[in-house]
Amino acid sequence: MRWEGNEQSDNVEDRRDEGGGGGGGGGGGFSVGGRGIGLGTVAIALVAGWIFGINPLTVLGLLSGGGGPAPQVQQQQQQGPAHKPPANDREAAFVSVVLRNTEVVWSQVFQQAGGSYTPTRLVLFRGYQQTACGAGEAAMGPFYCPGDKKVYIDLSFFDTLSRQLGAPGEFARAYVIAHEVGHHVQDELGITGKVDQMRGRLSQTQNNAMSVRVELQADCFAGVWAHHSQESKQWLDPGDIESAMNAAQKIGDDALQRSAGRAVVPDSFTHGTSAQRQKWFYSGYKGGRVQDCDTFSAKSL
């Protein structure tokens, strides 16, 4: 992926020097929305939703008996002004370039449909970060918080993606970012709010099935971005799309459960199988049409 020298986004907040976001870590659990969540529940949530989730705290809410949207923290921690990443930080520069291109692509897509797109902000953090959706931790992987409309990434995740999950390549990383931006697109389109309104009326199994459709649509939106990005910039090398498809395969719910030595339990899926994730990413990439990403009406995923 030939990204060097391309325009970078101004919407990246570097909070990696804030001392772990002001806390977290070593207690017996943490509290979200007034409910105590034990570390056993946290462990289950991380297995179910730690990669590419709309927000792992949504999983925590469901597992703790809640059915609504991701809970809000009762008191936001005071934070100092964010700053831009250092100019010589290659990984941060890569993220900034990809984010900027998502801004250009989605602004054009929305404009062509008669709408307007407000870009998300992306927060770089290290270890732990307070968000409008609760306490975010690096172990959760990248996530989007609809409460503050920001994407959160600890860049150490990219090493996990490459070395532990077997999904190397810069475009695999771009896919991660584009997927999280896809959740922001869902928020912009009003999809996130509608799904949250439905969750309280669903059983846990039904909520899991709903989450799968949410995640597969974000995969498809990542494909839509990839289509328009390549069409305008021609910056992908042979094998780049394959690296994204490989990442989608490695992080399917069935693949993750097998790699963890667990039985594959479809009712527990929250993100979709490897085949489903590949299918919906490629569907978005092939046509570049948002209307091809209606996972909620699809009879077969």
Side-chain angles (χ1 to χ4, degrees):
M1 183 178 180
R2 299 181 299 277
W3 61 270
E4 290 92 344
N6 282 273
E7 185 182 7
Q8 298 185 27
S9 175
D10 291 327
N11 290 316
V12 176
E13 301 178 10
D14 190 351
R15 297 191 176 275
R16 292 173 292 178
D17 58 356
E18 293 186 355
F30 60 89
S31 177
V32 220
R35 294 192 301 271
I37 307 292
L39 287 182
T41 304
V42 173
I44 296 171
L46 298 188
V47 170
W50 70 296
I51 298 174
F52 299 149
I54 190 170
N55 183 353
L57 296 168
T58 300
V59 181
L60 292 173
L62 294 174
L63 290 173
S64 62
Q72 304 295 306
V73 291
Q74 295 184 349
Q75 184 175 0
Q76 267 287 62
Q77 180 171 339
Q78 197 70 24
Q79 292 180 324
H83 56 81
K84 294 183 178 181
N88 61 350
D89 188 327
R90 180 179 171 82
E91 280 194 330
F94 172 77
V95 169
S96 298
V97 166
V98 173
L99 183 66
R100 176 56 186 155
N101 191 251
T102 67
E103 294 167 355
V104 171
V105 167
W106 284 113
S107 292
Q108 292 173 347
V109 170
F110 272 61
Q111 186 177 33
Q112 290 169 3
S116 61
Y117 175 71
T118 302
T120 182
R121 295 185 69 82
L122 186 148
V123 179
L124 302 176
F125 73 98
R126 184 175 287 117
Y128 172 95
Q129 181 66 42
Q130 194 69 34
T131 81
C133 297
E137 297 186 28
M140 292 175 173
F143 62 93
Y144 174 69
C145 172
D148 54 26
K149 300 184 181 297
K150 294 181 181 181
V151 170
Y152 291 84
I153 297 180
D154 183 318
L155 293 180
S156 65
F157 172 76
F158 289 148
D159 287 334
T160 300
L161 184 69
S162 176
R163 298 176 185 177
Q164 297 183 27
L165 296 177
E170 288 181 330
F171 198 67
R173 299 180 177 192
Y175 163 49
V176 172
I177 299 165
H179 175 100
E180 298 307 333
V181 172
H183 285 308
H184 178 66
V185 172
Q186 290 174 319
D187 201 11
E188 287 284 285
L189 293 173
I191 295 169
T192 304
K194 291 179 180 178
V195 169
D196 284 342
Q197 289 173 7
M198 295 177 61
R199 287 192 183 277
R201 304 192 298 270
L202 302 176
S203 68
Q204 183 170 323
T205 298
Q206 291 171 326
N207 266 304
N208 288 347
M210 180 66 72
S211 292
V212 167
R213 292 180 185 270
V214 169
E215 296 301 331
L216 293 179
Q217 185 177 65
D219 280 334
C220 188
F221 285 166
V224 170
W225 163 74
H227 172 95
H228 291 285
S229 177
Q230 175 64 355
E231 194 174 62
S232 63
K233 299 190 74 64
Q234 296 294 313
W235 62 349
L236 300 186
D237 293 318
D240 279 343
I241 293 299
E242 287 76 7
S243 73
M245 294 285 281
N246 175 58
Q249 191 277 328
K250 297 294 186 183
I251 49 75
D253 284 322
D254 52 342
L256 288 174
Q257 288 182 354
R258 288 192 189 97
S259 66
R262 300 167 54 206
V264 174
V265 183
D267 282 351
S268 70
F269 290 174
T270 57
H271 292 66
T273 67
S274 297
Q276 288 170 336
R277 301 200 72 163
Q278 290 178 314
K279 169 188 170 180
W280 284 98
F281 171 79
Y282 194 72
S283 177
Y285 174 71
K286 181 173 63 176
R289 296 183 297 266
V290 170
Q291 57 265 38
D292 291 340
C293 298
D294 186 3
T295 57
F296 298 97
S297 298
K299 292 182 180 179
S300 173
L301 294 175

